[in-house]
Amino acid sequence: MDMDAWVWWLIGAVALGIPLVMTAMPEFGMLAVGAVAAAVTAGLGGGVAMQTVVFAVVSVALIAVVRPIAARHRSQRPELVSGVEALKGRSAVVMERVDASGGRIKLAGEIWSARPLDNDQSFEAGQEVDVVEIDGATAVVI
């Protein structure tokens, strides 16, 4: 029983998909896409030489274009900000007047002591302020 060439290419694509799933190496997926492109070429009546060229060109093009993009994204992991660093830039509500001598704000569900960035400023209860830094246990606000 003789199978058409496009079936062999699809079997090859599935065979390349298995190590893709097992190893998480995207190159196998790109080769599998090349095999699918060769299967389409075979289905449209292209000869063995044309099928092989399509497989090679599509696979190499994907590896050359997609792999550097994927590597760049993999290396740019987002930074996890925690602790007091996560509080910088957040908004807070003034609970007790905040001026050069101090005051209280509600920040992230907790009551914090606070002082203004500029000692000439003052904020009244109920006002919304932004935290610019944390100095010890005191939030510096604007």
Side-chain angles (χ1 to χ4, degrees):
M1 183 167 166
D2 190 25
M3 283 198 282
D4 291 333
W6 66 270
V7 175
W8 287 110
W9 282 110
L10 289 181
I11 291 170
V14 170
L16 288 166
I18 292 170
L20 167 67
V21 173
M22 301 293 282
T23 65
M25 290 180 60
E27 292 82 1
F28 285 112
M30 295 172 208
L31 291 172
V33 171
V36 170
V40 170
T41 303
L44 294 174
V48 175
M50 179 62 99
Q51 296 168 32
T52 306
V53 168
V54 167
F55 171 73
V57 168
V58 170
S59 298
V60 169
L62 284 173
I63 290 172
V65 173
V66 176
R67 189 169 184 242
I69 294 170
R72 192 170 37 246
H73 283 282
R74 200 176 313 148
S75 68
Q76 295 176 348
R77 296 180 189 257
E79 257 186 60
L80 177 63
V81 181
S82 62
V84 294
E85 292 298 317
L87 299 175
K88 292 179 183 176
R90 295 197 54 185
S91 295
V93 176
V94 176
M95 303 303 287
E96 296 174 12
R97 178 183 166 90
V98 175
D99 55 23
S101 60
R104 300 249 181 237
I105 61 170
K106 187 168 190 173
L107 172 62
E110 298 178 344
I111 304 297
W112 282 72
S113 60
R115 66 177 170 79
L117 180 63
D118 179 6
N119 286 335
D120 295 334
Q121 285 185 312
S122 64
F123 304 99
E124 299 301 324
Q127 264 187 295
E128 191 170 299
V129 293
D130 292 323
V131 177
V132 291
E133 72 179 76
I134 303 292
D135 182 19
T138 303
V140 180
V141 299
I142 55 173

